[in-house]
Amino acid sequence: MIRMKVMIVEDEALERMLLRRYLEAEADRYEVVMEASFALEALEYLDEHSVDIVITDINMPVMDGLTMAGRILAMAPNVQVVVTTGYNDFDHAQKAIKIGIADYLVKPVDAKDFSAILAQVRDKLLRRQGLGVTETDVARQIAERMPALRDAFLRRLVTRSMDEAFVRQSLILFQLELIGNWHQVAVAVLPKGDGDPARGLFSLFTVSNLVRGVVDGALVFPVEQNRVVMVVGREGESPYNFDALKRVLDAALDAPVALGVGSMAEGLDGLRRSYAEATRAANCHPFLGAQQTLYYQDLGTVERDPSVMDAVHEAMAELEQIDFYLRCGIDANVRSWVDRHFPEDAADLENTRVRAALAIAGLTGMQAENATRLRERLPQVLEMGSVSEVRDLLLTLMGEATSTLERIRVSTANRQVQAIMDYIQENLADPSLSLHDTSLRFFYNASYLSRIFKQNTGMSFREYVNKQRIEQARRMLDDPDAKAYEVGLRVGIEDPNYFSTLFKKYAGQTIKQYRARSDNG
């Protein structure tokens, strides 16, 4: 049976205990993951953890339960909030319903009423998870998934044969327009940078928006984590000049974007052919570089011998594999890749040297971070006197590449975390300072930011914020005229009781003890 994660927020210890016992009686359905005495304590927990249900008292000091519930629902709309109160009046109930509270209980809370309301809330959550879905739920899910469904349709449009009537209906459904009957496709391969997935998504978002702004009427969608497809439609067969667009993309990402362009073609069959050509051209960027736009018709041998490009595509797949291993620092897989492609018992030294040179040249185009070093060592591979020497050189180069990428990854993470730490220091007085808002400001996924922050500081985001607030508060409390509650407000902690609790936790003594010690010192 699925267990729902529940948080209890109640400033009265006896009330918390009663609610916990009610929940423990149905331990197969509910798990109490947090008990908070203050609204701020609850919000801080939710900033870094997820729950399904929050049960909160309305009447709490400093920040009441309804204000807290509003913040919770703004942060996590799917959380179900149930409020309890000793005030049996219409105004509270009306306000609770208005902000989206799941239900409302009047104290003293009856066990049967409590169980019945939680059962309703639980059923609602299960429906959202797909267990007993209603028509309204289906409509909501479709609306939420519309962007993903649109991108899936566009990927099919450029890769598969589809009935024209179905295409027209789908274009209307997704509010898209395929201009004209002549189409030209370009594929942009974005630089991988330091491998940060959040930055990769930001690059995709940036490129997609730029293309829509620069190329009027273009259909733009991702096909992979670092590839964006753009379809340009025209009434006539004159091709689009993508060179200006490439310069804009290069400038926006501060790195060359590999841009492969197919030929202008007529109809849906022509559209698919143009996409295939653009993909083949883009796949050549490790060998031909990403400094210029790669037009399919300029690749020479391709038209005469398509098998050449098939071989390039196969080589690209292998290079992308080793590039992935190097960026992830998986040494065992790197050695396995070298063993598979350059076995020690290979008989043809010349063939081995040429293939090794091609592999290094390909990686030079894929890894801007190591391009200079790889390019400098490239001539050496053709001078190696044995297969063993070729293997040793490859393993040395790949070891150096892994080390460089790791240093960049660590350095980048350190810079990013330092920027976030600076931001925290500048905003300690802001009570709303949170992991959620900080992640949005720095274009991160909150879970990813939480992970790298702890890796670099040894503590969670919330622990660091609280520690810095108390450190600042200690300095302020050295002023004998400073009132404790005012100091709490100045460091972003609105609830004086919670300020006292945090101070004792991080300073190791109460505010009174700290001041007495300072006076005696």
Side-chain angles (χ1 to χ4, degrees):
M1 183 176 290
I2 297 175
R3 297 175 76 199
M4 298 295 170
K5 294 181 180 179
V6 181
M7 177 168 67
I8 301 171
V9 189
E10 169 64 68
D11 60 330
E12 296 290 340
L14 289 176
E15 292 290 343
R16 283 201 310 275
M17 183 178 69
L18 177 65
L19 294 174
R20 185 177 67 249
R21 286 185 176 177
Y22 285 166
L23 291 163
E24 287 172 347
E26 300 184 70
D28 59 331
R29 294 170 176 265
Y30 310 105
E31 175 189 7
V32 179
V33 295
M34 176 63 178
E35 294 182 41
S37 304
F38 311 100
L40 289 175
E41 185 182 10
L43 290 171
E44 288 181 0
Y45 180 84
L46 286 172
D47 198 28
E48 296 189 353
H49 304 83
S50 63
V51 302
D52 299 304
I53 302 170
V54 174
I55 303 169
T56 180
D57 182 21
I58 284 183
N59 187 30
M60 291 190 294
V62 183
M63 183 187 297
D64 64 55
L66 291 182
T67 302
M68 181 195 71
R71 290 197 185 182
I72 290 173
L73 293 171
M75 184 189 308
N78 290 329
V79 173
Q80 298 295 294
V81 181
V82 176
V83 296
T84 65
T85 184
Y87 296 96
N88 187 10
D89 65 85
F90 179 74
D91 289 342
H92 278 91
Q94 189 178 46
K95 186 177 179 182
I97 293 169
K98 187 175 181 179
I99 65 173
I101 298 297
D103 220 317
Y104 183 92
L105 283 165
V106 178
K107 293 179 180 179
V109 177
D110 178 76
K112 289 183 179 179
D113 291 343
F114 183 76
S115 179
I117 284 175
L118 279 195
Q120 293 173 9
V121 170
R122 186 174 185 276
D123 287 344
K124 185 176 181 179
L125 286 168
L126 290 175
R127 286 199 303 272
R128 286 186 175 179
Q129 294 172 11
L131 306 176
V133 181
T134 66
E135 288 185 13
T136 303
D137 291 329
V138 170
R140 177 182 51 79
Q141 290 174 13
I142 290 175
E144 289 174 352
R145 295 174 184 173
M146 191 63 77
L149 292 171
R150 179 198 61 216
D151 289 347
F153 160 71
L154 289 171
R155 286 192 287 270
R156 286 186 63 194
L157 181 67
V158 297
T159 57
R160 300 183 187 179
S161 176
M162 291 192 289
D163 178 71
E164 288 196 22
F166 173 76
V167 171
R168 285 195 299 272
Q169 291 171 358
S170 298
L171 290 171
I172 294 171
L173 172 66
F174 295 115
Q175 298 181 353
L176 300 170
E177 183 180 7
L178 193 57
I179 297 173
N181 196 42
W182 289 83
H183 314 292
Q184 189 172 20
V185 181
V187 175
V189 183
L190 311 186
K192 293 187 178 179
D194 62 2
D196 180 347
R199 291 293 177 188
L201 288 173
F202 181 61
S203 295
L204 275 178
F205 177 80
T206 300
V207 167
S208 299
N209 279 349
L210 273 175
V211 174
R212 292 188 184 102
V214 173
V215 187
D216 189 35
L219 299 180
V220 186
F221 55 97
V223 287
E224 294 176 26
Q225 287 186 341
N226 70 323
R227 291 196 174 209
V228 175
V229 174
M230 51 208 84
V231 178
V232 176
R234 291 199 166 188
E235 297 296 342
E237 56 184 297
S238 59
Y240 185 85
N241 187 340
F242 284 89
D243 295 340
L245 174 63
K246 185 182 185 316
R247 288 193 293 272
V248 171
L249 298 181
D250 290 351
L253 298 186
D254 196 25
V257 173
L259 190 62
V261 180
S263 54
M264 182 65 77
E266 188 175 13
L268 294 179
D269 289 338
L271 171 62
R272 291 191 296 276
R273 186 170 65 253
S274 183
Y275 170 71
E277 293 174 354
T279 300
R280 289 176 181 272
N283 286 344
C284 288
H285 83 271
F287 305 99
L288 301 179
Q291 303 303 322
Q292 60 183 359
T293 308
L294 301 175
Y295 289 92
Y296 178 80
Q297 62 266 31
D298 294 339
L299 297 180
T301 58
V302 177
E303 292 285 1
R304 297 191 297 272
D305 187 4
S307 64
V308 172
M309 285 307 299
D310 290 335
V312 169
H313 186 70
E314 184 178 345
M316 266 296 300
E318 293 293 339
L319 284 175
E320 287 179 348
Q321 187 178 60
I322 191 63
D323 176 60
F324 173 77
Y325 295 153
L326 293 172
R327 290 183 182 278
C328 295
I330 312 176
D331 295 334
N333 287 20
V334 170
R335 177 170 284 276
S336 175
W337 188 91
V338 172
D339 288 341
R340 187 168 71 254
H341 292 282
F342 303 93
E344 292 183 90
D345 58 357
D348 191 336
L349 173 60
E350 184 61 27
N351 178 268
T352 300
R353 288 191 297 208
V354 171
R355 288 189 299 106
L358 287 171
I360 294 171
L363 284 174
T364 300
M366 298 178 78
Q367 295 195 353
E369 308 92 338
N370 289 300
T372 301
R373 181 66 172 161
L374 290 170
R375 197 176 293 114
E376 289 173 350
R377 302 290 291 273
L378 182 56
Q380 294 180 25
V381 74
L382 299 175
E383 300 171 359
M384 296 293 101
S386 67
V387 170
S388 178
E389 289 180 7
V390 173
R391 284 170 46 84
D392 289 345
L393 178 61
L394 281 173
L395 289 170
T396 298
L397 286 174
M398 291 180 180
E400 292 172 352
T402 299
S403 298
T404 299
L405 291 166
E406 176 62 22
R407 285 196 301 273
I408 292 172
R409 186 160 52 247
V410 171
S411 175
T412 301
N414 288 342
R415 289 198 306 273
Q416 292 164 346
V417 170
Q418 185 58 56
I420 291 166
M421 291 165 68
D422 293 342
Y423 174 76
I424 289 171
Q425 287 295 332
E426 294 168 3
N427 293 274
L428 280 178
D430 182 358
S432 66
L433 178 62
S434 68
L435 173 69
H436 177 264
D437 290 345
T438 304
S439 65
L440 293 176
R441 181 180 181 85
F442 286 87
F443 303 106
Y444 280 114
N445 171 274
S447 298
Y448 176 76
L449 174 56
S450 177
R451 186 170 66 253
I452 66 165
F453 192 89
K454 189 163 188 174
Q455 287 172 351
N456 281 265
T457 65
M459 61 186 81
S460 71
F461 179 91
R462 181 50 54 188
E463 288 171 338
Y464 181 82
V465 169
N466 286 338
K467 185 173 183 294
Q468 295 305 309
R469 280 175 166 163
I470 298 307
E471 285 296 320
Q472 192 174 102
R474 288 173 66 169
R475 293 191 291 272
M476 293 178 179
L477 288 168
D478 288 338
D479 177 0
D481 295 328
K483 294 180 173 60
Y485 77 90
E486 291 177 344
V487 169
L489 289 173
R490 287 166 64 188
V491 297
I493 306 172
E494 298 171 305
D495 188 330
N497 293 323
Y498 188 47
F499 174 53
S500 298
T501 300
L502 286 181
F503 191 92
K504 185 174 182 180
K505 176 179 179 180
Y506 288 95
Q509 54 194 327
T510 65
I511 295 173
K512 185 176 181 179
Q513 289 169 336
Y514 175 78
R515 282 192 141 162
R517 181 179 177 182
S518 299
D519 292 341
N520 295 333

